[in-house]
Coordinates of all heavy atoms in Angstrom, one line a residue:
M1 N -58.4 12.6 5.3 CA -58.4 12.0 6.6 C -58.4 10.4 6.5 O -59.2 9.9 5.8 CB -59.6 12.4 7.4 CG -59.8 11.8 8.7 SD -59.0 12.6 10.2 CE -59.8 14.2 10.3
P2 N -57.4 9.8 7.1 CA -57.4 8.3 7.1 C -58.7 7.7 7.8 O -59.3 8.4 8.6 CB -56.1 7.9 7.9 CG -55.7 9.1 8.6 CD -56.3 10.3 7.9
T3 N -59.1 6.6 7.3 CA -60.3 6.0 7.8 C -60.1 4.6 8.4 O -59.1 4.0 8.2 CB -61.4 5.9 6.7 OG1 -60.8 5.1 5.7 CG2 -61.7 7.3 6.1
I4 N -61.2 4.2 9.2 CA -61.2 2.9 9.7 C -62.6 2.3 9.4 O -63.6 3.0 9.5 CB -61.1 2.9 11.3 CG1 -59.8 3.6 11.7 CG2 -61.2 1.5 11.8 CD1 -59.6 3.7 13.2
H5 N -62.6 1.1 8.9 CA -63.9 0.4 8.6 C -64.3 -0.5 9.8 O -63.5 -1.3 10.2 CB -63.7 -0.5 7.3 CG -63.2 0.3 6.1 ND1 -64.0 1.2 5.5 CD2 -62.1 0.3 5.5 CE1 -63.3 1.8 4.5 NE2 -62.1 1.2 4.5
V6 N -65.4 -0.2 10.3 CA -65.8 -0.8 11.6 C -67.1 -1.6 11.4 O -68.1 -1.1 10.8 CB -66.1 0.2 12.7 CG1 -66.5 -0.4 14.0 CG2 -64.8 1.1 12.9
T7 N -67.1 -2.8 11.9 CA -68.4 -3.6 12.1 C -68.7 -3.6 13.6 O -67.9 -4.1 14.4 CB -68.3 -5.0 11.5 OG1 -67.8 -4.9 10.2 CG2 -69.6 -5.8 11.7
D8 N -69.9 -3.0 13.9 CA -70.1 -3.0 15.4 C -70.8 -4.3 15.9 O -71.0 -5.2 15.1 CB -71.0 -1.7 15.7 CG -72.4 -1.8 15.2 OD1 -72.9 -2.9 14.8 OD2 -73.0 -0.7 15.1
R9 N -71.2 -4.3 17.1 CA -71.7 -5.5 17.7 C -73.0 -6.0 17.1 O -73.4 -7.1 17.2 CB -71.8 -5.4 19.2 CG -70.5 -5.4 19.9 CD -70.6 -5.2 21.4 NE -69.3 -5.2 22.0 CZ -69.0 -4.5 23.1 NH1 -69.9 -3.9 23.8 NH2 -67.8 -4.6 23.6
S10 N -73.7 -5.0 16.5 CA -75.0 -5.4 15.9 C -74.8 -5.9 14.4 O -75.7 -6.3 13.8 CB -75.9 -4.2 15.8 OG -75.5 -3.2 14.9
G11 N -73.5 -5.8 14.0 CA -73.2 -6.2 12.6 C -73.3 -5.1 11.6 O -73.0 -5.3 10.4
A12 N -73.6 -3.9 12.1 CA -73.7 -2.7 11.2 C -72.3 -2.3 10.8 O -71.4 -2.3 11.7 CB -74.4 -1.6 11.9
K13 N -72.1 -1.9 9.6 CA -70.8 -1.5 9.1 C -70.8 0.0 8.9 O -71.8 0.6 8.4 CB -70.4 -2.2 7.8 CG -70.3 -3.7 7.9 CD -70.0 -4.3 6.5 CE -70.1 -5.8 6.5 NZ -69.1 -6.4 7.3
Q14 N -69.7 0.6 9.2 CA -69.5 2.1 8.9 C -68.1 2.4 8.8 O -67.2 1.7 9.3 CB -70.2 2.9 10.0 CG -69.6 2.7 11.4 CD -70.3 3.6 12.4 OE1 -70.3 4.8 12.3 NE2 -70.9 3.0 13.4
T15 N -67.8 3.5 8.1 CA -66.4 4.0 7.9 C -66.3 5.3 8.7 O -67.1 6.2 8.5 CB -66.1 4.2 6.4 OG1 -66.3 2.9 5.8 CG2 -64.7 4.7 6.2
I16 N -65.3 5.3 9.6 CA -65.1 6.5 10.4 C -63.8 7.1 10.1 O -62.8 6.5 9.7 CB -65.3 6.2 11.9 CG1 -64.2 5.1 12.3 CG2 -66.7 5.7 12.2 CD1 -64.2 4.9 13.8
D17 N -63.7 8.4 10.4 CA -62.4 9.1 10.3 C -61.5 8.6 11.5 O -62.0 8.5 12.6 CB -62.6 10.6 10.4 CG -63.3 11.1 9.1 OD1 -63.2 10.5 8.1 OD2 -63.9 12.2 9.2
G18 N -60.2 8.5 11.2 CA -59.3 8.1 12.2 C -58.3 9.2 12.5 O -57.7 9.7 11.5
K19 N -58.2 9.6 13.7 CA -57.3 10.7 14.0 C -55.9 10.1 14.4 O -55.8 9.3 15.4 CB -57.8 11.5 15.2 CG -57.1 12.8 15.4 CD -57.9 13.7 16.4 CE -57.1 14.9 16.7 NZ -57.6 15.6 17.9
V20 N -54.9 10.5 13.6 CA -53.6 10.0 13.8 C -53.1 10.4 15.2 O -53.3 11.6 15.6 CB -52.6 10.5 12.7 CG1 -51.2 10.2 13.0 CG2 -53.0 9.9 11.3
G21 N -52.5 9.5 15.9 CA -51.9 9.8 17.2 C -52.8 9.3 18.3 O -52.4 9.1 19.4
Q22 N -54.1 9.1 18.0 CA -55.0 8.6 19.0 C -54.9 7.0 19.0 O -54.4 6.5 18.0 CB -56.5 8.9 18.8 CG -56.9 10.4 19.1 CD -58.4 10.6 19.1 OE1 -59.0 10.2 18.2 NE2 -58.9 11.2 20.1
T23 N -55.4 6.4 20.0 CA -55.5 4.9 19.9 C -56.8 4.6 19.2 O -57.7 5.4 19.1 CB -55.5 4.2 21.3 OG1 -56.7 4.6 22.0 CG2 -54.2 4.6 22.1
V24 N -56.8 3.4 18.6 CA -58.1 3.0 17.9 C -59.2 3.0 18.9 O -60.3 3.3 18.6 CB -57.8 1.6 17.3 CG1 -59.1 1.0 16.7 CG2 -56.8 1.7 16.2
M25 N -59.0 2.6 20.2 CA -60.0 2.6 21.2 C -60.6 4.0 21.3 O -61.8 4.2 21.4 CB -59.5 2.1 22.5 CG -60.5 2.2 23.7 SD -60.6 3.8 24.5 CE -59.2 3.8 25.6
E26 N -59.7 5.0 21.4 CA -60.2 6.4 21.6 C -61.0 6.8 20.4 O -62.0 7.5 20.5 CB -59.0 7.3 21.8 CG -58.3 7.1 23.1 CD -57.0 7.8 23.2 OE1 -56.3 8.0 22.2 OE2 -56.6 8.2 24.3
I27 N -60.6 6.4 19.2 CA -61.3 6.8 18.0 C -62.7 6.2 18.0 O -63.7 6.8 17.7 CB -60.5 6.4 16.7 CG1 -59.2 7.2 16.6 CG2 -61.4 6.5 15.5 CD1 -58.2 6.6 15.7
L28 N -62.8 4.9 18.4 CA -64.1 4.2 18.4 C -65.0 4.8 19.5 O -66.2 5.1 19.3 CB -63.9 2.7 18.7 CG -63.1 1.9 17.7 CD1 -62.9 0.5 18.2 CD2 -63.9 1.8 16.4
R29 N -64.4 5.1 20.6 CA -65.2 5.6 21.8 C -65.7 7.0 21.4 O -66.9 7.3 21.7 CB -64.3 5.7 23.0 CG -65.0 6.1 24.3 CD -64.0 6.4 25.4 NE -63.0 7.4 24.9 CZ -61.9 7.7 25.6 NH1 -61.6 7.1 26.7 NH2 -61.1 8.7 25.1
D30 N -64.9 7.8 20.8 CA -65.3 9.2 20.4 C -66.5 9.2 19.4 O -67.2 10.2 19.2 CB -64.2 10.0 19.9 CG -63.2 10.3 21.0 OD1 -63.5 10.1 22.2 OD2 -62.1 10.9 20.7
K31 N -66.6 8.1 18.6 CA -67.7 7.9 17.6 C -68.9 7.2 18.2 O -69.8 6.8 17.5 CB -67.2 7.2 16.4 CG -66.1 7.9 15.6 CD -66.6 9.1 14.9 CE -65.5 9.8 14.1 NZ -66.0 11.1 13.5
N32 N -68.8 7.0 19.5 CA -69.9 6.3 20.2 C -70.1 4.9 19.7 O -71.2 4.4 19.7 CB -71.2 7.1 20.2 CG -71.1 8.4 20.9 OD1 -70.6 8.4 22.0 ND2 -71.6 9.4 20.3
I33 N -69.0 4.2 19.3 CA -69.1 2.8 18.9 C -68.8 2.0 20.2 O -68.0 2.4 21.0 CB -68.1 2.5 17.8 CG1 -68.6 3.3 16.5 CG2 -68.0 1.1 17.5 CD1 -67.6 3.3 15.4
D34 N -69.5 0.9 20.3 CA -69.7 0.2 21.5 C -68.4 -0.5 22.1 O -68.3 -1.7 22.1 CB -70.8 -0.8 21.5 CG -71.0 -1.5 20.2 OD1 -70.0 -1.5 19.4 OD2 -72.0 -2.0 19.9
V35 N -67.4 0.3 22.5 CA -66.3 -0.3 23.3 C -66.4 0.4 24.7 O -66.5 1.6 24.7 CB -64.9 0.0 22.7 CG1 -64.7 -0.9 21.5 CG2 -64.7 1.4 22.4
E36 N -66.5 -0.4 25.7 CA -66.7 0.2 27.0 C -65.4 0.9 27.5 O -65.4 1.9 28.1 CB -67.1 -0.8 28.1 CG -68.6 -1.3 27.9 CD -68.7 -2.5 26.9 OE1 -67.6 -2.9 26.5 OE2 -69.8 -2.9 26.7
A37 N -64.3 0.3 27.2 CA -63.0 0.8 27.6 C -63.0 1.2 29.1 O -62.6 2.4 29.4 CB -62.6 2.0 26.7
I38 N -63.4 0.3 29.9 CA -63.6 0.6 31.4 C -62.3 1.2 32.0 O -62.3 2.0 32.9 CB -64.1 -0.6 32.1 CG1 -65.5 -0.9 31.7 CG2 -64.0 -0.4 33.6 CD1 -66.0 -2.3 32.1
C39 N -61.2 0.6 31.6 CA -59.9 1.0 32.3 C -59.3 2.3 31.7 O -58.3 2.7 32.1 CB -58.9 -0.1 32.3 SG -58.1 -0.4 30.7
G40 N -59.9 2.8 30.6 CA -59.5 4.0 30.1 C -58.2 3.9 29.2 O -57.6 4.9 28.8
G41 N -57.9 2.6 28.9 CA -56.7 2.4 28.0 C -55.5 2.0 28.7 O -54.4 2.0 28.1
C42 N -55.6 1.5 29.9 CA -54.5 1.0 30.7 C -54.1 -0.4 30.5 O -53.3 -1.0 31.2 CB -54.7 1.2 32.2 SG -55.1 2.9 32.7
C43 N -54.8 -1.1 29.6 CA -54.5 -2.5 29.3 C -54.8 -3.3 30.5 O -54.0 -4.2 30.9 CB -53.0 -2.7 28.8 SG -52.7 -4.2 28.0
S44 N -55.9 -3.1 31.1 CA -56.3 -3.9 32.2 C -57.7 -4.4 32.3 O -58.1 -5.0 33.3 CB -55.9 -3.2 33.5 OG -56.7 -2.0 33.7
C45 N -58.5 -4.2 31.2 CA -59.9 -4.6 31.3 C -60.4 -5.5 30.1 O -61.3 -6.2 30.3 CB -60.8 -3.4 31.4 SG -61.0 -2.4 29.8
A46 N -59.8 -5.3 29.0 CA -60.2 -6.1 27.8 C -61.6 -5.7 27.2 O -62.1 -6.4 26.4 CB -60.1 -7.6 28.0
T47 N -62.2 -4.6 27.7 CA -63.5 -4.3 27.2 C -63.4 -3.4 25.9 O -64.3 -2.9 25.4 CB -64.3 -3.5 28.2 OG1 -63.6 -2.3 28.6 CG2 -64.6 -4.3 29.4
C48 N -62.2 -3.4 25.4 CA -61.9 -2.7 24.1 C -61.5 -3.7 23.0 O -60.9 -3.3 22.0 CB -60.9 -1.6 24.2 SG -59.2 -2.3 24.7
H49 N -61.9 -4.9 23.3 CA -61.5 -6.0 22.4 C -62.1 -5.9 21.0 O -63.3 -5.7 20.9 CB -62.0 -7.3 23.1 CG -61.6 -8.6 22.4 ND1 -62.1 -9.8 22.7 CD2 -60.7 -8.9 21.4 CE1 -61.6 -10.8 22.0 NE2 -60.7 -10.2 21.1
V50 N -61.2 -6.0 20.0 CA -61.7 -6.0 18.6 C -61.0 -7.2 17.8 O -60.0 -7.7 18.3 CB -61.4 -4.7 17.9 CG1 -62.1 -3.5 18.5 CG2 -59.9 -4.4 17.8
F51 N -61.7 -7.5 16.7 CA -61.0 -8.5 15.8 C -60.6 -7.7 14.6 O -61.4 -7.2 13.8 CB -62.0 -9.6 15.4 CG -62.6 -10.3 16.5 CD1 -64.0 -10.3 16.8 CD2 -61.9 -11.1 17.4 CE1 -64.6 -10.9 17.9 CE2 -62.4 -11.8 18.5 CZ -63.8 -11.7 18.7
V52 N -59.3 -7.7 14.4 CA -58.7 -7.0 13.2 C -58.8 -8.0 12.0 O -58.5 -9.2 12.2 CB -57.3 -6.6 13.5 CG1 -56.6 -6.0 12.2 CG2 -57.2 -5.6 14.6
D53 N -59.3 -7.5 10.9 CA -59.4 -8.4 9.7 C -58.1 -9.0 9.3 O -57.0 -8.4 9.5 CB -59.9 -7.6 8.5 CG -61.4 -7.3 8.6 OD1 -62.0 -7.5 9.7 OD2 -62.0 -6.8 7.6
D54 N -58.1 -10.2 8.7 CA -56.9 -10.9 8.4 C -55.9 -10.0 7.6 O -54.7 -10.1 7.9 CB -57.3 -12.1 7.5 CG -57.9 -13.2 8.4 OD1 -57.7 -13.3 9.6 OD2 -58.7 -14.0 7.8
A55 N -56.4 -9.3 6.7 CA -55.5 -8.5 5.8 C -54.7 -7.5 6.6 O -53.6 -7.1 6.2 CB -56.3 -7.8 4.7
W56 N -55.2 -7.1 7.8 CA -54.5 -6.1 8.6 C -53.8 -6.6 9.8 O -52.9 -6.0 10.3 CB -55.5 -5.0 9.1 CG -56.0 -4.1 8.0 CD1 -57.1 -4.2 7.2 CD2 -55.2 -3.0 7.5 NE1 -57.1 -3.2 6.3 CE2 -56.0 -2.4 6.5 CE3 -54.1 -2.3 7.9 CZ2 -55.5 -1.3 5.8 CZ3 -53.7 -1.2 7.3 CH2 -54.4 -0.7 6.2
A57 N -54.1 -7.8 10.2 CA -53.6 -8.3 11.5 C -52.1 -8.4 11.4 O -51.4 -8.0 12.4 CB -54.2 -9.7 11.7
A58 N -51.5 -8.8 10.3 CA -50.1 -8.9 10.3 C -49.3 -7.6 10.1 O -48.1 -7.5 10.3 CB -49.7 -9.9 9.1
K59 N -50.1 -6.6 9.8 CA -49.4 -5.3 9.6 C -49.3 -4.5 10.9 O -48.7 -3.4 11.0 CB -50.3 -4.4 8.6 CG -50.3 -5.0 7.2 CD -51.1 -4.2 6.3 CE -51.3 -4.9 4.9 NZ -52.2 -4.2 4.1
L60 N -50.0 -5.0 11.9 CA -49.9 -4.3 13.2 C -48.7 -4.7 14.0 O -48.2 -5.8 13.9 CB -51.2 -4.6 14.0 CG -52.5 -4.1 13.4 CD1 -53.6 -4.6 14.4 CD2 -52.5 -2.6 13.2
P61 N -48.2 -3.8 14.9 CA -47.1 -4.2 15.8 C -47.6 -5.4 16.6 O -48.8 -5.5 16.9 CB -46.9 -3.0 16.6 CG -47.5 -1.8 15.9 CD -48.6 -2.4 15.1
A62 N -46.7 -6.3 17.0 CA -47.0 -7.4 17.8 C -47.6 -7.0 19.2 O -47.4 -5.9 19.6 CB -45.8 -8.3 18.1
R63 N -48.4 -7.9 19.7 CA -49.0 -7.6 21.1 C -47.9 -7.5 22.1 O -47.0 -8.3 22.0 CB -50.0 -8.7 21.5 CG -51.1 -8.9 20.6 CD -52.0 -10.1 21.1 NE -53.0 -10.5 20.2 CZ -52.9 -11.6 19.4 NH1 -51.9 -12.4 19.6 NH2 -53.9 -11.9 18.6
S64 N -48.0 -6.7 23.1 CA -47.1 -6.7 24.2 C -47.5 -7.9 25.1 O -48.5 -8.5 24.9 CB -47.3 -5.4 25.0 OG -48.6 -5.4 25.7
E65 N -46.6 -8.2 26.0 CA -46.9 -9.3 26.9 C -48.2 -9.1 27.7 O -49.0 -10.0 27.8 CB -45.7 -9.5 27.9 CG -45.6 -10.9 28.5 CD -44.3 -11.0 29.3 OE1 -43.2 -10.6 28.7 OE2 -44.4 -11.4 30.4
D66 N -48.4 -7.9 28.2 CA -49.6 -7.6 28.9 C -50.8 -7.7 28.1 O -51.8 -8.3 28.5 CB -49.6 -6.2 29.5 CG -48.6 -6.0 30.7 OD1 -48.2 -7.1 31.2 OD2 -48.3 -4.9 31.0
E67 N -50.8 -7.2 26.9 CA -52.0 -7.3 26.0 C -52.2 -8.8 25.7 O -53.4 -9.2 25.7 CB -51.7 -6.6 24.7 CG -52.9 -6.7 23.7 CD -52.7 -6.0 22.4 OE1 -51.7 -5.4 22.1 OE2 -53.6 -6.1 21.5
Q68 N -51.2 -9.5 25.4 CA -51.3 -11.0 25.1 C -52.0 -11.7 26.2 O -53.0 -12.4 26.0 CB -50.0 -11.6 24.8 CG -50.0 -13.0 24.4 CD -50.7 -13.3 23.0 OE1 -50.4 -12.5 22.1 NE2 -51.6 -14.2 23.0
E69 N -51.6 -11.5 27.4 CA -52.1 -12.2 28.6 C -53.6 -11.8 28.8 O -54.4 -12.7 29.0 CB -51.4 -11.8 29.9 CG -50.0 -12.6 30.0 CD -49.3 -12.1 31.2 OE1 -49.9 -11.6 32.1 OE2 -48.1 -12.4 31.3
L70 N -53.9 -10.6 28.6 CA -55.3 -10.1 28.9 C -56.2 -10.6 27.8 O -57.3 -11.1 28.1 CB -55.3 -8.6 29.0 CG -56.5 -7.9 29.6 CD1 -56.7 -8.4 31.0 CD2 -56.2 -6.4 29.6
V71 N -55.8 -10.5 26.5 CA -56.7 -10.8 25.4 C -56.9 -12.3 25.4 O -58.0 -12.8 25.0 CB -56.2 -10.2 24.1 CG1 -55.1 -11.0 23.5 CG2 -57.4 -9.9 23.2
E72 N -55.9 -13.1 25.7 CA -56.1 -14.5 25.7 C -57.1 -15.0 26.7 O -57.7 -16.1 26.5 CB -54.7 -15.2 26.2 CG -53.9 -15.6 25.0 CD -52.6 -16.2 25.5 OE1 -52.5 -16.7 26.7 OE2 -51.7 -16.3 24.7
E73 N -57.4 -14.2 27.7 CA -58.4 -14.6 28.8 C -59.8 -14.3 28.3 O -60.8 -14.8 29.0 CB -58.1 -13.9 30.1 CG -56.8 -14.4 30.7 CD -56.5 -13.5 31.9 OE1 -57.3 -12.7 32.3 OE2 -55.3 -13.7 32.5
T74 N -60.0 -13.6 27.2 CA -61.4 -13.4 26.8 C -62.0 -14.6 26.2 O -61.3 -15.4 25.6 CB -61.4 -12.2 25.7 OG1 -60.6 -12.6 24.6 CG2 -60.8 -10.9 26.3
E75 N -63.3 -14.7 26.3 CA -64.0 -15.9 25.8 C -63.9 -16.1 24.3 O -63.9 -17.2 23.8 CB -65.4 -16.0 26.3 CG -65.6 -16.4 27.7 CD -67.0 -16.5 28.1 OE1 -67.9 -16.8 27.2 OE2 -67.3 -16.3 29.3
S76 N -63.9 -14.9 23.6 CA -64.0 -15.0 22.2 C -62.6 -14.8 21.5 O -62.5 -14.5 20.3 CB -64.9 -13.9 21.7 OG -64.5 -12.6 22.2
Y77 N -61.5 -15.0 22.3 CA -60.2 -14.9 21.7 C -59.9 -15.6 20.4 O -60.2 -16.8 20.3 CB -59.2 -15.4 22.8 CG -57.8 -15.3 22.3 CD1 -57.1 -14.2 22.1 CD2 -57.1 -16.5 22.2 CE1 -55.8 -14.2 21.7 CE2 -55.7 -16.5 21.8 CZ -55.1 -15.4 21.5 OH -53.8 -15.3 21.1
K78 N -59.4 -14.9 19.5 CA -59.0 -15.5 18.2 C -57.5 -15.1 18.0 O -57.1 -14.0 18.0 CB -59.7 -14.9 17.0 CG -61.2 -15.2 17.0 CD -61.9 -14.5 15.8 CE -63.4 -14.6 15.9 NZ -64.0 -13.9 14.7
A79 N -56.7 -16.2 18.0 CA -55.2 -16.0 18.0 C -54.7 -15.0 16.9 O -53.9 -14.2 17.2 CB -54.5 -17.3 17.9
A80 N -55.3 -15.1 15.8 CA -54.8 -14.3 14.6 C -55.4 -12.9 14.6 O -54.8 -12.0 14.0 CB -55.1 -15.0 13.3
N81 N -56.6 -12.7 15.2 CA -57.3 -11.4 15.0 C -57.5 -10.6 16.2 O -57.8 -9.4 16.1 CB -58.6 -11.7 14.3 CG -58.5 -12.5 13.1 OD1 -58.5 -13.8 13.2 ND2 -58.3 -11.9 12.0
S82 N -57.5 -11.2 17.4 CA -57.9 -10.4 18.6 C -56.8 -9.4 19.0 O -55.6 -9.7 19.1 CB -58.0 -11.4 19.8 OG -59.2 -12.1 19.7
R83 N -57.3 -8.2 19.2 CA -56.4 -7.1 19.7 C -57.2 -6.3 20.7 O -58.4 -6.2 20.7 CB -56.0 -6.2 18.6 CG -55.1 -6.8 17.5 CD -53.8 -7.4 18.1 NE -53.0 -6.4 18.8 CZ -51.8 -6.0 18.3 NH1 -51.3 -6.4 17.2 NH2 -51.1 -5.1 19.0
L84 N -56.5 -5.6 21.6 CA -57.1 -4.6 22.5 C -56.9 -3.3 21.8 O -55.7 -2.9 21.5 CB -56.4 -4.6 23.9 CG -56.6 -6.0 24.6 CD1 -55.9 -5.9 26.0 CD2 -58.0 -6.3 24.8
S85 N -58.0 -2.7 21.4 CA -57.9 -1.5 20.6 C -57.2 -0.3 21.2 O -56.7 0.6 20.6 CB -59.3 -1.1 20.1 OG -60.2 -0.8 21.1
C86 N -57.1 -0.3 22.6 CA -56.4 0.7 23.3 C -54.9 0.6 23.1 O -54.1 1.5 23.5 CB -56.7 0.8 24.8 SG -56.1 -0.6 25.7
Q87 N -54.5 -0.5 22.6 CA -53.0 -0.8 22.4 C -52.6 -0.6 21.0 O -51.4 -0.8 20.7 CB -52.7 -2.2 22.9 CG -53.0 -2.4 24.4 CD -52.3 -1.4 25.3 OE1 -51.1 -1.4 25.4 NE2 -53.1 -0.6 26.0
I88 N -53.5 -0.1 20.2 CA -53.1 0.1 18.8 C -53.1 1.7 18.5 O -54.2 2.3 18.6 CB -54.1 -0.5 17.8 CG1 -54.3 -2.0 18.1 CG2 -53.7 -0.3 16.3 CD1 -55.4 -2.6 17.3
K89 N -52.0 2.2 18.3 CA -51.8 3.6 18.0 C -52.1 3.8 16.5 O -51.6 3.1 15.7 CB -50.4 4.1 18.3 CG -50.2 5.6 18.2 CD -50.8 6.3 19.4 CE -49.8 6.5 20.6 NZ -50.4 7.3 21.6
F90 N -53.1 4.7 16.2 CA -53.5 4.9 14.8 C -52.4 5.8 14.1 O -52.1 6.9 14.6 CB -54.8 5.5 14.7 CG -55.4 5.5 13.4 CD1 -55.8 4.3 12.8 CD2 -55.6 6.6 12.6 CE1 -56.3 4.2 11.5 CE2 -56.1 6.6 11.3 CZ -56.5 5.3 10.8
T91 N -51.9 5.3 13.0 CA -50.9 6.0 12.2 C -51.4 6.1 10.7 O -52.4 5.4 10.4 CB -49.6 5.1 12.1 OG1 -49.9 3.9 11.5 CG2 -49.1 4.9 13.6
P92 N -50.8 6.9 9.9 CA -51.3 7.1 8.5 C -51.2 5.7 7.8 O -52.0 5.5 6.9 CB -50.3 8.1 7.9 CG -49.8 8.9 9.1 CD -49.8 7.9 10.3
Q93 N -50.3 4.9 8.2 CA -50.1 3.6 7.6 C -51.3 2.7 7.8 O -51.5 1.7 7.1 CB -48.8 2.9 8.1 CG -47.5 3.5 7.6 CD -47.2 4.8 8.3 OE1 -47.6 5.0 9.5 NE2 -46.6 5.7 7.7
L94 N -52.1 3.0 8.8 CA -53.3 2.2 9.1 C -54.6 2.7 8.4 O -55.7 2.2 8.7 CB -53.5 2.1 10.6 CG -52.4 1.4 11.4 CD1 -52.8 1.3 12.9 CD2 -52.1 0.0 10.8
D95 N -54.4 3.6 7.5 CA -55.6 4.1 6.7 C -56.3 2.9 6.0 O -55.6 2.2 5.3 CB -55.1 5.1 5.7 CG -56.2 5.7 4.8 OD1 -57.4 5.6 5.3 OD2 -55.9 6.2 3.7
G96 N -57.5 2.7 6.3 CA -58.3 1.6 5.7 C -58.4 0.4 6.7 O -59.0 -0.6 6.3
L97 N -57.8 0.5 7.9 CA -57.9 -0.6 8.8 C -59.3 -1.1 9.0 O -60.3 -0.3 9.0 CB -57.4 0.0 10.2 CG -57.5 -1.0 11.4 CD1 -56.5 -2.1 11.2 CD2 -57.2 -0.2 12.7
S98 N -59.5 -2.4 9.0 CA -60.8 -2.9 9.1 C -60.9 -3.9 10.3 O -60.0 -4.7 10.5 CB -61.0 -3.7 7.8 OG -62.4 -4.2 7.7
L99 N -61.9 -3.7 11.1 CA -62.1 -4.4 12.3 C -63.5 -4.6 12.7 O -64.4 -3.9 12.2 CB -61.3 -3.8 13.4 CG -61.7 -2.3 13.8 CD1 -62.9 -2.3 14.7 CD2 -60.5 -1.6 14.4
T100 N -63.7 -5.6 13.6 CA -65.1 -5.9 14.1 C -65.0 -5.8 15.6 O -64.0 -6.4 16.2 CB -65.5 -7.3 13.7 OG1 -65.5 -7.4 12.3 CG2 -66.9 -7.7 14.3
V101 N -65.9 -5.1 16.2 CA -65.9 -5.0 17.7 C -66.4 -6.3 18.3 O -67.4 -6.9 17.9 CB -66.8 -3.9 18.2 CG1 -66.9 -3.8 19.7 CG2 -66.4 -2.5 17.6
A102 N -65.6 -6.9 19.2 CA -65.9 -8.2 19.9 C -67.2 -8.0 20.8 O -67.4 -6.9 21.3 CB -64.8 -8.7 20.7
L103 N -67.9 -9.0 20.9 CA -69.1 -9.0 21.9 C -68.5 -8.8 23.3 O -67.4 -9.2 23.6 CB -69.8 -10.3 21.8 CG -70.6 -10.6 20.5 CD1 -71.3 -11.9 20.6 CD2 -71.6 -9.5 20.2
S104 N -69.3 -8.1 24.1 CA -68.8 -7.8 25.5 C -68.8 -9.1 26.2 O -69.6 -10.0 26.0 CB -69.6 -6.8 26.1 OG -70.8 -7.2 26.6
E105 N -67.8 -9.3 27.1 CA -67.6 -10.5 27.9 C -68.5 -10.6 29.1 O -68.8 -9.6 29.7 CB -66.1 -10.6 28.3 CG -65.1 -10.4 27.2 CD -65.0 -11.7 26.3 OE1 -65.2 -12.8 26.9 OE2 -64.7 -11.6 25.2
Ligands
FES1 S1 -59.5 0.0 27.5 FE1 -59.1 -1.5 29.0 S2 -57.8 -2.9 28.1 FE2 -58.2 -1.4 26.5

């Protein structure tokens, strides 16, 4: 099973199984990791904000215009690393993805 390495808001690190076909937000939420995902994945709340590690950031598909606009408005926005986890579809190629959950806004 492909995995995701997650650092949560408390700084605790864990490795979780990633289900191919789900979004990263769904995987985090199903493991009770602290993403609120208030909008349910509609790209309208930014409460699923994560920072993807440098090594992985360039391997992800580019942000859509909607994701870009929303994530830029977050206080902790990092141009190179910020992603909305509901907009990242988990694939076998993302095995080992490493990310940190952003503090809630
Ligand atoms: S869950 Fe709302 S933007 Fe991702």
Side-chain angles (χ1 to χ4, degrees):
M1 174 90 62
T3 59
I4 304 175
H5 305 291
V6 180
T7 303
D8 70 18
R9 288 180 180 153
S10 72
K13 296 177 189 294
Q14 59 181 301
T15 298
I16 61 174
D17 291 337
K19 192 169 176 196
V20 171
Q22 284 192 313
T23 65
V24 172
M25 176 278 279
E26 291 169 329
I27 294 166
L28 297 174
R29 187 189 57 192
D30 289 352
K31 296 289 184 187
N32 295 317
I33 293 171
D34 38 17
V35 288
E36 289 87 2
I38 291 168
C39 77
C42 303
C43 197
S44 62
C45 73
T47 60
C48 64
H49 184 193
V50 297
F51 303 117
V52 174
D53 285 11
D54 288 335
W56 284 96
K59 296 179 185 171
L60 297 178
R63 300 179 190 105
S64 68
E65 202 172 310
D66 286 347
E67 180 184 357
Q68 182 67 43
E69 281 178 17
L70 197 56
V71 82
E72 266 181 17
E73 291 173 8
T74 61
E75 281 186 28
S76 54
Y77 174 67
K78 296 180 188 174
N81 308 90
S82 284
R83 296 300 303 250
L84 298 180
S85 58
C86 70
Q87 300 302 300
I88 305 170
K89 188 74 90 177
F90 193 67
T91 64
Q93 291 73 30
L94 296 185
D95 181 21
L97 176 68
S98 185
L99 58 83
T100 300
V101 179
L103 294 178
S104 77
E105 304 282 332

